Amino acid sequence: MQNNSNIFENDKPALEKLANFRDKDILSASQFSREELDTILGMAAFYEKYLNDRNPLPDMQGRIMASLFFEPSTRTRLSFESAMHRLSGSVITVAESAKSQTSSTVKGETLYDAIRVVDGYADVIVIRSPVIGAANEAAGAAVNPVINAGDGAGEHPTQALLDLYTILKEKGTIDGLTITLLGDLKYGRTVHSLIKLLSLYDCNVVLVSPDELKMPGEIVTDVTKGGVKITEKEDLNEVVSGTDVLYVTRIQQERFDDKAEYERVKSKYIINGDTIESGKDGMSVMHPLPRVNEIETDVDKYQGAAYFRQAINGVPVRMALLALVTGRAL
Ligand code: NCD
C-alpha cells in the first residue's frame, strides 16, 4: 500500500481528482475510497501552507455557507466558519440547543421545509442534529451540497477526516500503526466514522470500552471486511504499551437513557501521567474535545498530547471540503 505522508510535500492534487467532489454531499465516512482520502487531505495540506503564510485565499469569494447547528458545538461550527472566512466566503448561521431555540424548527417546521428554503440562501449547507440520519434527509431536500457535522450518535465524517489528517501529521503514516479507540464507543459518533476510515489502511485498531459502551456490532462487522485488524478489550492497561495513537472519547452523557448507567461508567478511564509512562514511547494522545475528566490537564505538557493541534487541523480540512464540494478547489 502507498504511504500517505507525501500529501504534505506535494502541491494541489490533480484537477481531475478534485473535480470528482463537485456537488457531492459529505454524509458518512463509508463513502470515501483511499484515493479520495488522499485528495481531500492533500488539498487540506495545500491550504494549510497558505494559512501558515496568512495569505488571504479567494477560493470561496462570493459563496455562502449556511451552518445549521441544532445541537451544541464549539469547535466544529467555529472551524467550519473560520474555514469559510479564510477562503473569503460568507457565513449564515442558526445555532441552537434544545434550551435556546431561535429558528422555525421550534414552531414545528419540518427539516425538509427548512432545508428547501436554506438551500436557496446558500451554496453549501453544514448541518448538525441530534437525530441520526438528519444530514441524509437534508441532502435529499437540498440541491446544493450538504455536509454532515454530526447526526446524533450516528456519524461525524468531517471530524474523522481531521483525525486522520492529524495522525498523518503526527506519525507520518497510518499503515503499520496500532490505534486504540477508548471510552464511549457506543454513542461516540467520531469513532464510528474514524474506524470506517481506518479500515481502508493496513493498521491495527484496538477498541477499549466498558462492556455497556462497545462499538456497535454492525460497524465492527462492516469494517472487518477490509484489511484492518480489530481487537476488543475492557482494560486499557493490557494494550497501552503497544499503542501508537490513543484516541480518547468523552462518555456521551446526553445520549444515555439511564442516568445511573452514566454514573457507573463516567470515570472508568482517566488518562494521566501514569498512562503516558506505561504507554509506548512517543505515543500520541488524541481527543475530539470537549474533554470532561477523561484526560488530566497534567498530560497537556506531554509532547504527544495532540488534542489541541488536532482541533486546529479542523480548519484546513474543512477548507478543503468546502472548496471541493462547491467546485471552488479547481
Ligand atoms: C465531538 C462531537 O460533537 O461528536 N466533538 C466535536 O465535534 N469535536 C465529540 C464529543 O462531543 O464528545
Side-chain angles (χ1 to χ4, degrees):
M1 281 194 188
Q2 91 241 47
N3 190 309
N4 289 59
S5 54
N6 64 357
I7 61 165
F8 298 106
E9 285 147 30
N10 293 346
D11 229 9
K12 215 168 171 175
L15 283 189
E16 64 274 17
K17 292 189 176 174
L18 300 178
N20 287 335
F21 290 91
R22 196 182 206 146
D23 296 326
K24 285 260 162 67
D25 302 307
I26 307 292
L27 301 176
S28 163
S30 50
Q31 77 188 69
F32 302 115
S33 68
R34 184 147 165 181
E35 193 187 22
E36 287 172 330
L37 293 178
D38 285 351
T39 304
I40 296 169
L41 301 186
M43 196 64 208
F46 172 79
Y47 278 138
E48 192 179 347
K49 268 186 259 166
Y50 280 85
L51 275 178
N52 292 338
D53 294 343
R54 289 280 180 269
N55 279 339
L57 296 165
D59 296 26
M60 294 297 282
Q61 202 153 35
R63 296 297 190 279
I64 298 175
M65 175 186 92
S67 59
L68 305 179
F69 278 70
F70 302 115
E71 225 188 30
S73 172
T74 306
R75 277 147 293 272
T76 304
R77 184 166 69 85
L78 294 187
S79 64
F80 262 115
E81 296 186 357
S82 173
M84 195 63 185
H85 287 297
R86 294 280 192 215
L87 291 169
S88 314
S90 314
V91 175
I92 53 176
T93 303
V94 172
E96 63 191 23
S97 64
K99 288 198 192 90
S100 68
Q101 293 187 317
T102 53
S103 81
S104 293
T105 50
V106 76
K107 300 183 193 164
E109 187 179 39
T110 62
L111 182 65
Y112 179 87
D113 284 8
I115 297 294
R116 282 294 299 267
V117 174
V118 172
D119 198 30
Y121 298 160
D123 304 289
V124 55
I125 298 172
V126 178
I127 181 168
R128 168 173 289 190
S129 162
V131 181
I132 294 179
N136 293 64
E137 195 188 332
V143 171
N144 286 304
V146 169
I147 302 180
N148 181 5
D151 61 325
E155 282 217 44
H156 196 348
T158 70
Q159 177 71 41
L161 290 166
L162 78 89
D163 293 341
L164 205 63
Y165 186 75
T166 302
I167 300 173
L168 283 170
K169 264 179 87 177
E170 300 284 323
K171 296 288 183 200
T173 181
I174 309 281
D175 292 325
L177 295 184
T178 296
I179 299 167
T180 299
L181 310 182
L182 174 78
D184 187 347
L185 309 185
K186 178 180 179 187
Y187 299 117
R189 57 192 172 199
T190 71
V191 283
H192 296 169
S193 293
L194 181 56
I195 195 171
K196 291 179 184 174
L197 297 190
L198 294 176
S199 75
L200 298 177
Y201 294 80
D202 189 10
C203 58
N204 300 311
V205 176
V206 184
L207 304 175
V208 181
S209 68
D211 197 44
E212 306 90 304
L213 297 180
K214 282 171 80 169
M215 180 70 73
E218 61 277 14
I219 298 182
V220 177
T221 311
D222 202 35
V223 298
T224 33
K225 286 183 196 140
V228 71
K229 288 179 275 308
I230 307 230
T231 317
E232 293 190 80
K233 295 275 179 198
E234 209 172 325
D235 184 359
L236 178 63
N237 293 322
E238 284 181 40
V239 293
V240 71
S241 65
T243 292
D244 295 293
V245 178
L246 179 61
Y247 188 99
V248 186
T249 63
R250 177 178 68 86
I251 308 291
Q252 308 280 298
Q253 177 176 14
E254 67 276 27
R255 315 246 183 254
F256 281 69
D257 294 327
D258 177 358
K259 293 297 165 205
E261 187 179 350
Y262 169 71
E263 291 299 323
R264 263 198 313 279
V265 292
K266 72 172 187 200
S267 300
K268 172 122 177 137
Y269 305 106
I270 310 277
I271 304 308
N272 55 27
D274 293 342
T275 324
I276 305 299
E277 273 298 293
S278 41
K280 190 165 173 175
D281 266 357
M283 178 175 76
S284 297
V285 181
M286 293 173 61
H287 190 307
L289 303 179
R291 70 173 151 187
V292 183
N293 62 345
E294 313 80 54
I295 305 180
E296 288 186 359
T297 51
D298 273 10
V299 175
D300 299 359
K301 60 179 187 291
Y302 163 65
Q303 212 203 332
Y307 27 92
F308 295 121
R309 295 191 289 275
Q310 179 184 356
I312 292 162
N313 288 336
V315 176
V317 170
R318 288 173 171 132
M319 288 168 81
L321 288 170
L322 290 167
L324 283 166
V325 299
T326 55
R328 305 289 292 181
L330 297 172

